[in-house]
Amino acid sequence: MPLICIGIYALMRDCFDTIKRMRVLSGIQPSGKLHWGNYFAMMRPAIALQDRGEAFLFIANYHALTSVADPDVLREGTRDAALDFLACGLNPEKAVLFRQSDVPEVTELTWILSSVTPMGLLERCHSYKDKIAMGLSPTHALFSYPVLMTADILAYQSNIVPVGRDQKQHIEVARDIAIKFNNRYGETFAIPEPEIGKDVAVVPGIDGKKMSKSYDNHVELFGSEKEIKKRVMRIVTDSTPMEEPKNPDTCNVFALYKLFASPEEIAQMRKQYEAGGYGYGDAKKDLLAKSSDVLRPFRERREELVGQPDYVDSVLAAGAERARSEIEKTLTAVRRAIGLD
Ligand code: ADP
Ligand code: TRP
């Protein structure tokens, strides 16, 4: 074989190995029904990565204790999140799906990591202040939330963490803690990178602010058609009259349509805005039709899964087993490094 071919082959093999080894992890709190913002910013990119690397996706029910005090709500939310992941395309043959609380070892790692976490690092986290401002109790768990999140990430030697922009600071905390630990005790943890989709960094809610359950400006992914229609029809727009040309780039309806539509469909709607004679009511109807087409297969799959609780349980049990075997490897190295072996 000519030398150049051998060179190209070696390069491709190395690239392939790197991609194959890459580990991606993300979690979602089961603290309410999933909305379009969660789906486009976190769930869809996370699920897509099951084809690029080894994906670990989990339901952060320990984290949810910072906001959910009702055990039935927590149980139901956890079950819903598992159904949502599977309905939206998570393939348990490719990705590991588990409940955070099925891997209690993560709390041991949290404590160990706390011992290298400077208070100042946590004091700078804006999400603690934001959540208190929204009325959550200022508990120790809410304050130390980023350390548990760090343990989630480092436990599985995660390389990539797809999240919405509001979680970016938490990934920076995880990186700081990993670097601190590695410097003090020797190379132990992979340093994670956040992955934030550019187009979906912040999905707007129906009032134009960031879509969030807490602002009640969200559109549920699996809400009833009636409820979704009500919310879409309430999306805030300016008052440009129907006949006049409109600017799509400042319109919340267009911003949401872009998430669902193909480039050709987006270009077509843009033209209609700019031409005039196309009202916001028309755009809302088009958004409703498009979103319902895109989400229909997920809805159908979800309905099937509701009737297969044993299957869902078996996926979660297998996921927990795999996650526990991975975290155990990390903890063995960590305990040895710090002198707790
Ligand atoms: P909520 O604000 O509705 O309580 P969460 O805080 O539970 O949502 O968010 C779960 C995940 O979804 C996180 O990764 C978060 O960054 C992402 N996310 C939630 N809402 C949005 C949004 N409007 N735009 C972009 N990402 C979002
Ligand atoms: N804090 C994340 C959120 O509210 C959920 C989460 C917990 C998470 N642990 C994680 C996300 C680890 C990514 C990686 O959305």
Side-chain angles (χ1 to χ4, degrees):
M1 208 185 320
L3 263 183
I4 181 134
C5 292
I6 298 175
I8 292 172
Y9 169 73
L11 200 70
M12 282 173 64
R13 190 198 49 210
D14 287 355
C15 281
F16 186 67
D17 279 347
T18 311
I19 292 169
K20 211 170 59 180
R21 279 198 305 272
M22 184 184 71
R23 185 162 288 169
V24 40
L25 168 134
S26 200
I28 184 146
Q29 288 195 63
S31 46
K33 308 270 185 223
L34 211 65
H35 57 67
W36 290 359
N38 302 137
Y39 174 68
F40 284 105
M42 194 291 268
M43 204 156 223
R44 189 175 65 168
I47 292 175
L49 285 167
Q50 70 191 3
D51 295 316
R52 268 172 59 196
E54 247 186 314
F56 279 62
L57 301 171
F58 69 97
I59 304 157
N61 53 353
Y62 281 143
H63 275 109
L65 288 171
T66 56
S67 61
V68 181
D70 181 330
D72 290 331
V73 172
L74 187 58
R75 240 174 249 125
E76 199 185 315
T78 305
R79 163 62 42 151
D80 275 347
L83 290 170
D84 294 342
F85 264 122
L86 292 167
C88 291
L90 181 139
N91 177 352
E93 305 285 316
K94 293 182 182 170
V96 182
L97 176 66
F98 61 100
R99 274 181 295 238
Q100 189 182 31
S101 60
D102 282 341
V103 189
E105 292 84 350
V106 76
T107 59
E108 178 185 350
L109 186 57
T110 303
W111 179 254
I112 294 170
L113 294 174
S114 293
S115 67
V116 296
T117 306
M119 283 294 282
L121 191 62
L122 301 181
E123 278 161 359
R124 283 194 293 279
C125 285
H126 47 67
S127 108
Y128 175 70
K129 292 168 216 155
D130 293 350
K131 287 185 173 171
I132 288 177
M134 280 175 342
L136 290 197
S137 307
T139 56
H140 176 254
L142 193 62
F143 181 72
S144 60
Y145 181 115
V147 190
L148 174 57
M149 189 159 158
T150 298
D152 290 327
I153 295 169
L154 303 188
Y156 309 103
Q157 306 289 350
S158 314
N159 309 108
I160 296 195
V161 186
V163 281
R165 188 178 284 158
D166 62 339
Q167 294 294 319
K168 185 162 177 256
Q169 192 183 30
H170 289 156
I171 315 299
E172 279 155 13
V173 168
R175 290 171 60 87
D176 281 0
I177 295 177
I179 291 169
K180 246 187 181 352
F181 189 98
N182 286 353
N183 284 344
R184 185 180 298 177
Y185 294 110
E187 285 305 308
T188 310
F189 294 118
I191 310 297
E193 294 280 347
E195 183 164 282
I196 297 165
K198 277 196 200 63
D199 300 340
V200 291
V202 178
V203 174
I206 59 171
D207 57 358
K209 283 198 290 188
K210 176 194 168 234
M211 185 177 286
S212 173
K213 299 182 281 281
S214 338
Y215 303 143
D216 197 22
N217 63 355
H218 57 296
V219 186
E220 274 180 23
L221 199 58
F222 296 114
S224 71
E225 297 201 359
K226 194 165 152 226
E227 178 58 25
I228 294 180
K229 181 167 181 199
K230 206 167 99 195
R231 295 237 160 187
V232 167
M233 289 305 171
R234 273 178 35 212
I235 297 175
V236 173
T237 58
D238 63 28
S239 50
T240 316
M242 143 98 170
E243 318 73 53
E244 280 182 32
K246 301 174 185 61
N247 180 359
D249 297 315
T250 53
C251 178
N252 296 321
V253 184
F254 187 71
L256 291 169
Y257 184 77
K258 282 202 295 190
L259 298 170
F260 290 99
S262 67
E264 297 73 33
E265 290 164 334
I266 296 170
Q268 170 64 16
M269 186 182 270
R270 176 180 288 284
K271 256 204 221 145
Q272 289 173 293
Y273 266 73
E274 288 168 350
Y278 179 71
Y280 290 123
D282 300 322
K284 288 176 183 179
K285 280 195 199 118
D286 287 342
L287 167 62
L288 203 56
K290 185 73 219 167
S291 60
S292 133
D293 282 353
V294 170
L295 299 177
R296 186 168 305 116
F298 298 167
R299 244 177 213 288
E300 288 170 1
R301 175 78 183 121
R302 200 177 188 287
E303 271 155 31
E304 275 171 31
L305 287 162
V306 169
Q308 302 168 0
D310 293 347
Y311 168 72
V312 178
D313 284 344
S314 71
V315 168
L316 290 172
E321 198 180 321
R322 175 74 206 286
R324 288 188 82 171
S325 83
E326 286 301 318
I327 197 172
E328 201 42 56
K329 284 187 223 159
T330 302
L331 270 173
T332 304
V334 167
R335 292 187 198 110
R336 189 177 316 120
I338 61 180
L340 282 182
D341 50 341

